[in-house]
Amino acid sequence: MTELAGLDAYGVLTEPATLKLERLLPGPIERVWAYLTDSDLRRQWLASGEMAMDVGAPVELVWRNDELTDPPGSRPDGFSGEHRMISRITELDPPRRLAISWDGTGDVSFELEPRGEEVLLTLVHRRIAQRPMRLMIGAGWHAHLDILAARLSGREPEPFWDGWTRLRDEYDRRLPD
């Protein structure tokens, strides 16, 4: 699990349909920003996809979660080897804030704040109306952020799908109905 120096690794609902997660990551801020915005770096922890640095610009995100870790773990039934989504940049303040639309399930913002040699990443995913989707998204963001923290720290992350499955069960216990 990610060492958070006092931060809870688990996402919390700040409103009924808003999930917030925080991670304290090795800096500097420009390095973390690159992992959010550069397709080659982002594909190592989340999804690939070129990103023009302009508000309103489209972004196609391409997930290949089986390629995030070696081994990938056991992919749950109902998930494919690749998932694509068209998003749009809605806010941009390099290297501190990036917000994008999230096809059908709200919007996501990433805020970066320097904390000495580390960077506090705050991720907020808004408008997740249905509980089953909140569980999937909570486990997904948590697992992806754990991989980001491992990559930035030079550690090998746990198998993605095994972590996601464990986290999905934990979010089922933690998030209210």
Side-chain angles (χ1 to χ4, degrees), residues 1 21 32-33 38 41 50 58 91 103 113 124 127 138 140 164:
M1 295 298 311
L21 294 101
V32 178
W33 181 258
D38 179 271
L41 293 174
E50 294 304 317
E91 295 180 50
D103 185 42
E113 177 186 332
V124 178
R127 296 185 289 122
W164 182 90

Side-chain angles (χ1 to χ4, degrees), residues 103-123:
D103 185 42
T105 55
D107 58 88
V108 175
S109 64
F110 303 89
E111 293 211 22
L112 302 179
E113 177 186 332
R115 296 265 179 104
E117 294 183 11
E118 297 176 306
V119 177
L120 177 64
L121 166 64
T122 302
L123 182 148

Side-chain angles (χ1 to χ4, degrees), residues 15-173:
E15 297 174 359
T18 300
L19 183 69
K20 176 181 173 182
L21 294 101
E22 295 180 312
R23 290 291 186 285
L24 200 54
L25 303 168
I29 193 171
E30 294 80 9
R31 180 173 176 235
V32 178
W33 181 258
Y35 272 84
L36 295 178
T37 59
D38 179 271
S39 178
D40 289 337
L41 293 174
R42 191 177 347 94
R43 76 167 181 74
Q44 295 177 33
W45 70 276
L46 181 66
S48 63
E50 294 304 317
M51 182 179 286
M53 292 286 97
D54 293 307
V55 172
V59 179
E60 181 180 32
L61 296 173
V62 182
W63 281 265
R64 293 185 183 101
N65 291 331
D66 290 352
E67 298 175 6
L68 294 176
T69 59
D70 185 19
S74 299
R75 184 181 340 137
D77 291 340
F79 287 89
S80 65
E82 180 178 289
H83 175 71
R84 292 174 176 262
M85 180 179 78
I86 301 293
S87 296
R88 192 163 300 282
I89 295 176
T90 58
E91 295 180 50
L92 184 63
D93 181 16
R96 299 190 182 277
R97 182 167 172 79
L98 171 67
I100 59 175
S101 63
W102 206 257
D103 185 42
T105 55
D107 58 88
V108 175
S109 64
F110 303 89
E111 293 211 22
L112 302 179
E113 177 186 332
R115 296 265 179 104
E117 294 183 11
E118 297 176 306
V119 177
L120 177 64
L121 166 64
T122 302
L123 182 148
V124 178
H125 194 136
R126 293 170 187 80
R127 296 185 289 122
I128 316 168
Q130 304 300 317
R131 185 174 190 272
M133 188 61 72
R134 283 193 295 274
L135 300 179
M136 285 181 41
I137 287 172
W141 279 123
H142 191 133
H144 285 291
L145 291 176
D146 282 353
I147 292 172
L148 173 62
R151 297 278 182 242
L152 288 167
S153 299
R155 293 182 285 110
E156 279 299 312
E158 73 174 307
F160 175 80
W161 288 115
D162 297 347
W164 182 90
T165 300
R166 177 183 47 76
L167 287 164
R168 199 253 172 235
D169 292 342
E170 183 63 27
Y171 275 88
D172 189 29
R173 285 188 287 279

